[in-house]
Amino acid sequence: MTLRHRGFLSATAGMLVLALVASTSAAPSGQPIRVGGTLALTGPLAATSLVHKIAGEIFVEQLNKKNGLLGRPVEWVLLDDQSKPDLARTLYEKLITVDKVDLLIGPYATGAIMSAMAVAQRHDKALFHHTFGIPHLAKYERQFPTWAIGPEPARTFPNLLFDALAASAKPPKTVAIVTSKFPSVHFMSVGAREVAAKRGLREALYLEFEFGNRDFGAIAARVRDANPDFLWMGAIGLEGNGLLEALKKLDYTPKIHFYLYPAPGPLALAPEGKYALSTTVFEEHPPFTASPVAAEYVKLFRERAAKAGMPYQSADTQAGSSYAAWQIMEAAVTATKSLDDKTLAQWLRSNRVDTIIGKVRFDGPNNYGDDLSKIKQVQDGKWVVVWPKEFAAPGARLIVP
Amino acid sequence: MPSLTLLGQSLVSGLFIGGLYGLLGLGLGLSWGLLRLINLSHFALVLLGAYLTYQLAGTAGMNPFLTPLLIVPGFFLLGVVLQWAFDFFRVNEFSSLLVTFGITVVIESVIQWVWTADFRRLETPYATLSVRAGPLFLPVTEMVMLLVATALSLLTWAWLRFTWVGKGMRASVEDPDIAAAFGVSPRRLALLLSGVGAAYAGVAGTFVALVYTLAPSQIYGWIGVVFAVVILGGLGNPLGPLVAGIGIGISESLTMAVAEPSWAPLVSFTLLILVLVLRPDRI
């Protein structure tokens, strides 16, 4: 074979490879697959919903840059439920009956997901949702929770937390449980109270306050009086910051302190938030970012969050769960080559799905699988996972001051 | 049995939160009592003032206690413009609820557009600064807030009671025709009062930014309790909201100290229901 022939063959082979590559990553074509959902783009839940919006936009863009779903482009029909579960119900009805979307993705948060679930059930649609907080209320067989907290988080999570504390340098002997009456928070705090009692911790204080409470002065005074070894704050949003700031004004720093569902940015960045503990299923450090998909997502999320003007740009549990919900939807559609809700639901209940938050399954009670929760802590102004040890950030360990 | 320190600290906490209630209720009560407008947008102006304080102090590096120097004149003008629009469109007491709710939604959207829905915290050395008085801790920002609320309430009371403008305003409310016969122009006085009310919202906003983490939906957080404060304090009475605010703040705080914190909101609304039942003439 002459050099000329070799050159021709090489060029032909090269073109064939290029053509093959081009065909596998061809731009999706045809009628778009419409995925419908709402988010609380306005109202009290808007701060967290912005995280879900960014996550969804990144995923849909990535999907369309590849081959879409089943070779078709994907269109996200996103409506604003204004943080109102009753409005979410109406909008999901509209998405199904008027917009005729092919697939449903969940709203944020628990109340709105409950509303969407009822509508999905009425129309036999599968619902993929991100962060539902009360597993025992998720009765619909075609709902698929991404936030892997297991079917009994009020038992499993406090045990995980108390295991971590028991393994620390100063295991607590007394506990104060201060909790918001927000439904998805309250039952977890009641569970923590029971688990603490079973594990022999003495209850120094138990308090409940109304969701939306703004004056934490008197509650802080009671916490200071009780002076527990460990403070469990059943907090959602800014309630944790409210209590910590009030404690600081009394010149009191809690010894070991935990916040259930805090606003992660304000708590991590506040000086009083030092060594605060919380729960997570995803943080932006190894081993979570070991996969290229997760690493790329974290990078994109940070860029988009900065562009959106968000002061705190870390991709954490909400961002991780949100992206994972889309991954689950994609996995089911790709594996079954179908958009049929029944087919998707059957496949999901008998298969595990690899996501950036870990491998999730839906074959347990109410389609819940393993509790993938981890314990994270504010260290040097950042959240890092400290427990279980195999998920801890490189070099990080639980610090008990 | 709660300790004396706990009771004392809760009393202090209630006193200070009462100062905030009073400050929030001052402009609202004046507008409701003297202009017969239930101005829900007052809460939106408070939050707008808070975000402007955040911007001026957090980004531009201004001392947060000096930000009212810039915010107050702007808000005064805004209040004047709003009152002019209410007059122009003949907004009455009932329709003012709807109109000002609409304005509130618009302001909320503007805030979210400019500062996003994410939380904003003004980090200042004053935020958690306290002085010690025996076993009690007195947070400095809240102390200043109570002093400002008291000073503004007293000055407004004196202004309405002793000045020609104040007397004219009260006369306009009681009998507009007779007041007009004496040369009082209710329209001009309404513009002035609305400007003053909006300026008070700006001042309250500065303290909200100093004490709380901000989010656009916070607008609605105080509506219930501040309405209770205004009604309990008496519409148009500049000292009433402060007194009622302190009363409610202390009651809530002591309830949190000796019983369940979740019972605290019951206190303000039970007091409100009692007043409405026993003294319906207060509205």
Side-chain angles (χ1 to χ4, degrees), chain B residues 4-267:
Chain B
L4 279 178
T5 310
L6 172 61
L7 289 175
Q9 195 63 57
S10 303
L11 201 72
V12 166
S13 174
L15 185 69
F16 291 145
I17 194 76
L20 176 65
Y21 293 163
L23 196 52
L24 291 169
L26 180 58
L28 184 74
L30 290 176
S31 160
W32 196 348
L34 301 179
L35 302 176
R36 306 312 290 178
L37 291 170
I38 308 170
N39 187 4
L40 285 176
S41 62
H42 186 77
F43 296 95
L45 291 179
V46 170
L47 204 69
L48 182 61
Y51 271 96
L52 288 172
T53 302
Y54 165 82
Q55 193 68 31
L56 291 169
T59 311
M62 198 172 172
N63 184 314
F65 287 110
L66 297 179
T67 56
L69 294 176
L70 291 179
I71 292 171
V72 164
F75 271 49
F76 179 84
L77 283 177
L78 194 58
V80 170
V81 170
L82 278 176
Q83 182 59 35
W84 175 84
F86 294 152
D87 265 353
F88 186 80
F89 292 106
R90 298 177 190 282
V91 175
N92 60 29
E93 188 172 1
F94 181 69
S95 60
S96 67
L97 260 177
L98 200 61
V99 171
T100 57
F101 179 71
I103 294 169
T104 303
V105 172
V106 170
I107 294 176
E108 184 189 4
S109 301
V110 169
I111 290 173
Q112 186 164 329
W113 181 60
V114 177
W115 288 282
T116 78
D118 212 351
F119 303 114
R120 305 275 165 170
R121 180 77 176 117
L122 176 59
E123 293 297 342
T124 70
Y126 312 111
T128 51
L129 195 66
S130 292
V131 290
R132 197 163 182 165
L136 303 181
F137 289 85
L138 310 176
V140 171
T141 306
E142 280 92 329
M143 243 190 324
V144 176
M145 181 169 71
L146 179 64
L147 287 174
V148 169
T150 308
L152 287 180
S153 300
L154 285 171
L155 284 172
T156 311
W157 171 79
W159 179 52
L160 290 177
R161 188 164 180 86
F162 300 118
T163 66
W164 185 89
V165 172
K167 287 174 184 170
M169 272 180 202
R170 290 189 289 130
S172 298
V173 175
E174 285 185 21
D175 196 329
D177 294 335
I178 296 289
F182 279 86
V184 173
S185 166
R187 224 172 237 190
R188 278 193 201 163
L189 293 181
L191 292 176
L192 178 65
L193 191 70
S194 178
V196 169
Y200 288 167
V203 175
T206 294
F207 287 103
V208 167
L210 281 163
V211 177
Y212 296 98
T213 302
L214 305 177
S217 59
Q218 223 174 345
I219 287 172
Y220 308 100
W222 283 290
I223 287 182
V225 71
V226 173
F227 261 78
V229 160
V230 167
I231 293 168
L232 285 171
L235 302 182
N237 174 3
L239 294 176
L242 183 66
V243 174
I246 289 173
I248 285 182
I250 289 176
S251 317
E252 284 184 347
S253 219
L254 288 178
T255 308
M256 287 194 201
V258 299
E260 271 295 305
S262 56
W263 294 357
L266 290 177
V267 175

Side-chain angles (χ1 to χ4, degrees), chain A residues 201-372:
Chain A
L201 274 86
R202 188 175 66 76
E203 187 177 288
L205 182 69
Y206 180 83
L207 287 181
E208 294 177 347
F209 61 88
E210 283 299 332
F211 172 62
N213 179 59
R214 288 171 192 283
D215 177 22
F216 284 92
I219 296 175
R222 289 184 75 168
V223 170
R224 186 185 64 168
D225 254 25
N227 192 23
D229 294 339
F230 172 56
L231 169 65
W232 165 292
M233 177 67 173
I236 186 160
L238 293 171
E239 291 166 344
N241 284 71
L243 179 64
L244 270 176
E245 284 162 15
L247 286 169
K248 177 78 177 171
K249 285 171 188 167
L250 303 184
D251 198 26
Y252 179 83
T253 306
K255 293 168 192 162
I256 314 173
H257 49 135
F258 168 83
Y259 304 85
L260 189 57
Y261 305 135
L267 191 52
L269 300 175
E272 312 81 64
K274 191 177 178 186
Y275 302 138
L277 296 165
S278 188
T279 174
T280 187
V281 291
F282 182 82
E283 293 298 320
E284 51 175 42
H285 60 67
F288 301 95
T289 52
S291 84
V293 174
E296 172 71 4
Y297 170 57
V298 165
K299 182 174 151 277
L300 288 172
F301 184 89
R302 279 190 156 273
E303 284 171 13
R304 300 292 173 89
K307 204 171 160 190
M310 290 171 70
Y312 184 77
Q313 295 137 15
S314 292
D316 60 11
T317 199
Q318 294 282 351
S321 294
S322 196
Y323 191 83
W326 289 91
Q327 286 184 301
I328 290 163
M329 178 190 285
E330 184 199 10
V333 172
T334 306
T336 58
K337 295 186 172 51
S338 170
L339 296 175
D340 177 62
D341 296 280
K342 188 179 172 188
T343 311
L344 297 174
Q346 273 173 350
W347 186 85
L348 280 170
R349 275 203 303 277
S350 50
N351 287 278
R352 288 180 175 232
V353 180
D354 255 327
T355 71
I356 60 168
I357 64 167
K359 215 167 220 190
V360 292
R361 63 182 174 89
F362 304 98
D363 54 357
N366 294 347
N367 291 354
Y368 274 83
D370 303 308
D371 185 348
L372 300 182

